[in-house]
Amino acid sequence: AASDVYKRQPLHNPANLMGVRTCMALMPGKPNVGVFDTAFHQTMPAKAFMYALPYEDYSELKVRKYGFHGTSHLYVSETMREIMGNPEHSKIIVCHLGNGASVSAVLDGKSIDTSMGLTPLQGLMMGTRCGDIDPAAVLFIKNKRGLSDKEMDNRLNKQSGILGIFGKSSDCRDMENGVAEGDERAKLACLLYTSPSPRDMRRSR
């Protein structure tokens, strides 16, 4: 049923579709334009977007890194190139930091790598998302706690990150206040949020 398909859409799509349908109802006959923030990352080479899974998972299921926050990364990188005098060649690292967070490498105006993957869950720790994690840890937690797929997905996307470690809020301002007040979990959350992972440090060498 169409309602079942609607419910299975990725996190942001239901809200976006609601906006489209509302605009169509309020302004009939006016065109709606869909801007997908994955589009900016379609210039990534295969070595950046492929996962080391059986190749048919890519060729048949299209499992690959798509990246997100593309409209932000495009705007910031284009603005920086303008500030730099629109050079023919440029290397820019864009950091989109907030409750959602991602980093992109932009070469000559084109995305060549980004931290988010098949979904926005991959990459940096965020307000409520865990970021990079051993997939086996997901299976272990799911089985030990007897969680359904939906419950585990909710745990990773909405109960983790700063909220999961700090325990009181996903807001960086609350976390910083907690650090100032000596809250040990706030301190740990802040360290996790601001410290590069070993993989990031290896890449930067």
Side-chain angles (χ1 to χ4, degrees):
S3 60
D4 292 331
V5 174
Y6 181 79
K7 290 175 182 177
R8 291 198 299 269
Q9 297 300 312
L11 183 64
H12 298 89
N13 284 6
N16 293 335
L17 287 171
M18 187 183 299
V20 170
R21 289 168 178 162
T22 301
C23 287
M24 291 173 69
L26 294 175
M27 298 176 285
K30 299 295 183 181
N32 279 268
V33 178
V35 179
F36 293 85
D37 64 358
T38 57
F40 179 59
H41 302 298
Q42 294 306 297
T43 53
M44 290 190 296
K47 67 177 183 179
F49 71 68
M50 288 292 294
Y51 292 120
L53 295 166
Y55 191 79
E56 57 266 27
D57 290 340
Y58 166 69
S59 61
E60 297 172 9
L61 305 179
K62 310 304 178 188
V63 174
R64 52 159 285 178
K65 180 190 286 187
Y66 287 97
F68 299 87
H69 294 154
T71 50
S72 171
H73 289 292
L74 172 62
Y75 172 77
V76 172
S77 59
E78 283 189 343
T79 300
M80 283 307 305
R81 280 167 62 82
E82 289 176 6
I83 291 171
M84 296 161 63
N86 293 310
E88 181 181 357
H89 300 293
S90 61
K91 295 179 179 180
I92 299 171
I93 302 296
V94 181
C95 301
H96 176 105
L97 302 176
N99 206 263
S102 62
V103 176
S104 287
V106 183
L107 178 66
D108 301 337
K110 295 181 178 180
S111 173
I112 60 168
D113 204 354
T114 190
S115 57
M116 284 182 165
L118 175 70
T119 74
L121 189 60
Q122 184 181 349
L124 306 179
M125 171 182 164
M126 306 174 215
T128 62
R129 295 187 181 115
C130 62
D132 283 346
I133 186 173
D134 183 344
V138 176
L139 297 176
F140 178 82
I141 294 168
K142 180 178 180 294
N143 291 330
K144 283 291 184 178
R145 296 193 178 280
L147 303 177
S148 66
D149 289 348
K150 184 176 182 180
E151 288 170 333
M152 191 67 219
D153 183 71
N154 188 67
R155 191 175 187 84
L156 297 172
N157 277 291
K158 298 182 179 181
Q159 299 175 356
S160 298
I162 292 172
L163 176 62
I165 300 298
F166 178 31
K168 298 177 181 177
S169 170
S170 64
D171 193 312
C172 286
R173 294 166 295 187
D174 295 332
M175 177 181 70
E176 290 172 352
N177 289 336
V179 170
E181 294 165 1
D183 187 306
E184 291 302 320
R185 285 178 56 174
K187 292 179 184 178
L188 178 58
C190 188
L191 283 172
L192 288 169
Y193 188 71
T194 59
S195 299
S197 69
R199 186 185 71 171
D200 295 330
M201 289 189 285
R202 287 197 300 272
R203 283 185 172 182
S204 66
R205 289 174 185 168

